[in-house]
Each structure stands twice: as C-alpha cells, then as structure tokens.
Amino acid sequence: MKIIHTADLHLGQIMYQYYDRVDEHRHFFNQLMGWCEEHRPDALVVSGDIYDIPQPSASAREFFNSTFVTFRQAFPHMAIVVTAGNHDSASRIKADSSVWHLSGVTVLGNAPSADPNQRREHWEDDYIVELPSGFIAAMPFMGNNRTELIVALTDRIAQRNTDGRPVVLMAHLAVDGCDPLGHDDVGTLRCVTTAALGMGFDYAALGHIHRPQTLGHDIADESQPHSSYPAGAIRYSGSALHVSCDETYPHSVSLVELDRRGGTVELTRLRIDELRHFYTLPATDKPAAHSLNDLYAAIDSLQSKGLRGYIRPRIDYGAPLPTDFVNSIYQYLEKTGNELRLNPKTIWENIPPREENAERPIFEIADLQQMTDPLHFIAETRQQYPELDFEQLKADFEEIQNELRRQQESADNKRNAKKNASKNNESTPTL
Ligand SMILES: [Mn+2]
C-alpha cells in the first residue's frame, strides 16, 4: 500500500491580516500533483486543518473544491481522504460530505458522538476506507480527545482485515513527545499518549503539529530523504506551507509504503519548495537598520535577487522613524507587486536596559497590535490567574463564538429572505 500523507493545509489563510496566500497554496498543489503522477499512490490523505478558519471565504472554498475535483479527475483510481481539523468547522465540512462521496472523495467532518447511545451499530464503518491494498481509519479532530474511539476504529478494521492488509490511521491531535516548534498553542497543547492510540495500525498519519517528524525519532533525521520504521510508526507530515514565521524549518509531504499488517514502513520525504520564504531584514549577521532608507536598501537587494517572501524588519531602537513608518514600508513594498510582503512585527535591536525595579511589560505594543485572539493574551498571562481553568475558558469562548456565528447566519438568512421577497414584489406586475 502506498500513500501520500499531508495535513494542515490552512486554505484561505490571510497572512498578517493582509496577504492572501492562494498563490502559495496553488504552488504547493502543483508539486503535489507532480508527486501523485510520479509515485501513483493508492491514496492521498489530508489529516485535518483543511481551512485556516471555521468560516472560510467563498474563494477559499472554491479553491478547495476545484483543487480536489482536479485531483479526482487526474487520478480516478487514487483514494482521496480528507478529515476536519481543529481549525475547521466539523459540521460545515460534513455538510458537503455527501456531494464529495458521489465523486469517490471521502471528506469527514464530525467526529463520532462521545455518547455511546448516539452511535449506531458499526458506526466505525463510516470512518473506515477499505482499499484493495489496505485500510484507512480516518478520524477527524475530536475536541475531547476520546482515543478509545480511535481504538474502536482499528479494532473494527482488525475484524474486517482477514488477509493481513496494512492499516493507516489518520487523526488530528497532539501526541506526547512531539516537537511543537512554531505551534501557536505551545504550553496549552493537550497531548495524548502514544499508547492511547493502541496497536491496531501500521502507520499513523497525523495532523495538527506543523513540523514534520516521526515520533520517537530524531528531528535531525528529517534531512534524510528516506527512513524505514517497524510497524506502528506515528508521523506528522507537517503543514503544507509554513503557517507562521516561526516555521522556517523545511516542510515536506510524506510518501509512505507499507508491505503488510505488522510489516515495515518505508518513508520518503518529498521536500516542498515554498513559493515565499520568511526573511529578517537586515539579516541577523548584519547591523540592524538605523533608518527607513537602510531598510529599503535591504529590500532592494533582496528584490534584485528575484526573491519572494515575507520580510520582518530589524530596526535599531534609537533609529529616528516617523510614527507611521509601518505604512511607509507597506507603500514601499507595493512597488514589488507584493512579491515582497511585510511582517509588521518589527524586531527592535539595542533596546536600552531598563532601570532596576522598573516593571517590564509582558507584551510590547507591536505584540498587542498583532494579537487577534483574546485567548492568546490570556494564555500568555495565565500565571497571574492561578484559579483560572483555562480549558474551561477555552471551551466557553468556543461556545460563544459558535453562538455568535449562528446568530450571524440567521441574521444573514433573514436579510436574504427579505431581499428576495422585495425582488419578487418588484417583478410582480401591478394590475
Ligand atoms: Mn494546523
């Protein structure tokens, strides 16, 4: 059984609240298309975080649809299995499942109910894709990390798998011992143990952690093109793009070959060529900019090399800058046709030492300007609230967000209904 494993697409991501990344995603899928052509896998699996936000834009949805229709048409015999991650709205993803099913693409949104009374007999089969060459257990993100449901899936496969075919498990979760470098929830990640996933799989194709890695193996191995593991390997393919500037490590897609149940796992890392990289300007081996002109000179030199990417200014704290210098940089970059893009979170160098006893703020102003999620602020300051049950608070926030979303939807529906009603009135001839 041969699969290509990727995850954490984060389609529709708007970088720094300004830049659409659709061309970067297109560049990624062009490479993925090439790898599918070259390696002819039995299945392409995408382990969660299809979109960057629960309510993706129409253009992000259109991009997903047209991309996966293209893959289906190009590779009619390749299974395609896509699951929802924590960034996705499980029910919105599920809403389109039946349409995808018609074209043989498995798209799974909701995790099974935590309440056993709500689950019908052999519910497991809804999450199992059987291929001539093997089985795929596809579990979407579960807010409650009920790993016993994962074990139920692989137990069910064990019943059906009478001829020793290999088993792939897809899930979107954090596992103990993973290296979450670059992950925005570091410190609040709820991990499951590897033991909790059971022994019923040969390869666990995980999503959620953006750094490619095989659990229990040195991260340095990621520079090798090939590795082989005994059955039961647990791996994060890593995200399709570097989702933030902290993720500058190499990204890859995992090509996995499995010979049989309990056999060996042969991994090939297919290195992704990113359309845009992250740069600090001036580079850290050079002096920080002492003026906007210094910064512009560094931008010009990057542009003259034909490089594209997101640049983060590195400026001397004492540099004389206009108060709206960030806008000036945006304007300057426009001449690159936005091939060079601004990460407005400036790195300040040579900040004068504070006086003894002076209180050091937890956040710089620039940090606060960048912060859009109140939970992020609370997470960073939680040591000041020892009584706080952060997980509860997080759940409450989610509930409020969902309620707001529902209200917005019903307001939209009412408005549209009104609009349609008045349109109909206009077209009705008056006698
Ligand atoms: Mn993700």
Side-chain angles (χ1 to χ4, degrees), residues 7-10 48-49 51 86-87 172 183 207-210 239 243:
D8 295 275
L9 305 177
H10 289 260
D49 284 355
Y51 296 109
N86 59 310
H87 278 248
H172 191 87
H183 200 281
H208 195 35
I209 303 297
H210 293 176
S239 52
V243 175

Side-chain angles (χ1 to χ4, degrees), residues 86-104:
N86 59 310
H87 278 248
D88 298 306
S89 154
S91 48
R92 280 166 187 275
I93 298 300
K94 179 178 179 276
D96 295 330
S97 287
S98 55
V99 179
W100 282 112
H101 183 74
L102 283 178
S103 61

Side-chain angles (χ1 to χ4, degrees), residues 347-366:
I347 299 170
W348 297 105
E349 297 283 4
N350 304 319
I351 299 175
R354 289 168 198 277
E355 309 234 333
E356 284 281 317
N357 303 328
E359 238 182 71
R360 184 175 285 273
I362 299 173
F363 301 108
E364 297 293 337
I365 302 281

Side-chain angles (χ1 to χ4, degrees), residues 300-364:
D300 289 347
S301 113
L302 202 62
Q303 196 193 6
S304 69
K305 291 177 195 145
L307 297 173
R308 291 188 269 209
Y310 296 92
I311 60 160
R312 186 172 183 183
R314 215 176 118 253
I315 304 179
D316 191 280
Y317 193 77
L321 296 172
T323 47
D324 65 340
F325 75 95
V326 172
N327 279 330
S328 308
I329 304 172
Y330 274 121
Q331 269 169 25
Y332 193 80
L333 288 175
E334 268 171 28
K335 71 165 192 164
T336 72
N338 277 334
E339 289 300 348
L340 290 174
R341 302 172 165 197
L342 180 62
N343 170 357
K345 204 170 168 182
T346 302
I347 299 170
W348 297 105
E349 297 283 4
N350 304 319
I351 299 175
R354 289 168 198 277
E355 309 234 333
E356 284 281 317
N357 303 328
E359 238 182 71
R360 184 175 285 273
I362 299 173
F363 301 108
E364 297 293 337

Side-chain angles (χ1 to χ4, degrees), residues 142-390:
M142 289 182 282
N144 45 19
N145 272 345
R146 311 243 346 196
T147 45
E148 71 273 17
L149 298 176
I150 287 178
V151 176
L153 284 190
T154 52
D155 282 353
R156 174 70 180 149
I157 290 178
Q159 285 173 7
R160 289 171 49 181
N161 187 13
T162 49
D163 51 358
R165 278 175 275 174
V167 178
V168 170
L169 165 67
M170 294 168 68
H172 191 87
L173 40 72
V175 174
D176 268 344
C178 64
D179 180 338
L181 179 68
H183 200 281
D184 54 3
D185 285 339
V186 177
T188 64
L189 269 183
R190 270 186 293 179
C191 296
V192 305
T193 63
T194 51
L197 301 177
M199 314 265 281
F201 58 87
D202 297 295
Y203 177 79
L206 301 189
H208 195 35
I209 303 297
H210 293 176
R211 184 169 201 178
Q213 57 194 288
T214 307
L215 263 284
H217 293 267
D218 199 328
I219 212 103
D221 295 351
E222 292 303 314
S223 58
Q224 303 294 324
H226 302 284
S227 298
S228 87
Y229 308 107
I234 300 174
R235 179 165 172 84
Y236 291 99
S237 63
S239 52
L241 308 181
H242 28 27
V243 175
S244 82
C245 66
D246 301 321
E247 297 180 14
T248 49
Y249 42 76
H251 284 63
S252 57
V253 157
S254 301
L255 173 68
V256 182
E257 284 182 79
L258 304 159
D259 49 358
R260 60 184 168 82
R261 179 79 187 96
T264 45
V265 178
E266 296 293 339
L267 167 74
T268 304
R269 297 174 183 87
L270 305 170
R271 178 67 209 280
I272 300 165
D273 163 49
E274 290 99 0
L275 184 67
R276 289 199 179 76
H277 292 264
F278 287 83
Y279 300 97
T280 298
L281 274 191
T284 45
D285 59 349
K286 300 206 169 75
H290 282 79
S291 65
L292 277 187
N293 283 336
D294 279 357
L295 181 66
Y296 294 162
I299 290 171
D300 289 347
S301 113
L302 202 62
Q303 196 193 6
S304 69
K305 291 177 195 145
L307 297 173
R308 291 188 269 209
Y310 296 92
I311 60 160
R312 186 172 183 183
R314 215 176 118 253
I315 304 179
D316 191 280
Y317 193 77
L321 296 172
T323 47
D324 65 340
F325 75 95
V326 172
N327 279 330
S328 308
I329 304 172
Y330 274 121
Q331 269 169 25
Y332 193 80
L333 288 175
E334 268 171 28
K335 71 165 192 164
T336 72
N338 277 334
E339 289 300 348
L340 290 174
R341 302 172 165 197
L342 180 62
N343 170 357
K345 204 170 168 182
T346 302
I347 299 170
W348 297 105
E349 297 283 4
N350 304 319
I351 299 175
R354 289 168 198 277
E355 309 234 333
E356 284 281 317
N357 303 328
E359 238 182 71
R360 184 175 285 273
I362 299 173
F363 301 108
E364 297 293 337
I365 302 281
D367 292 329
L368 290 171
Q369 284 172 336
Q370 281 302 298
M371 207 174 281
T372 52
D373 181 357
L375 276 179
H376 184 185
F377 180 86
I378 295 166
E380 295 283 317
T381 56
R382 63 197 287 199
Q383 70 277 14
Q384 298 185 17
Y385 315 101
E387 304 293 306
L388 183 73
D389 180 346
F390 187 71

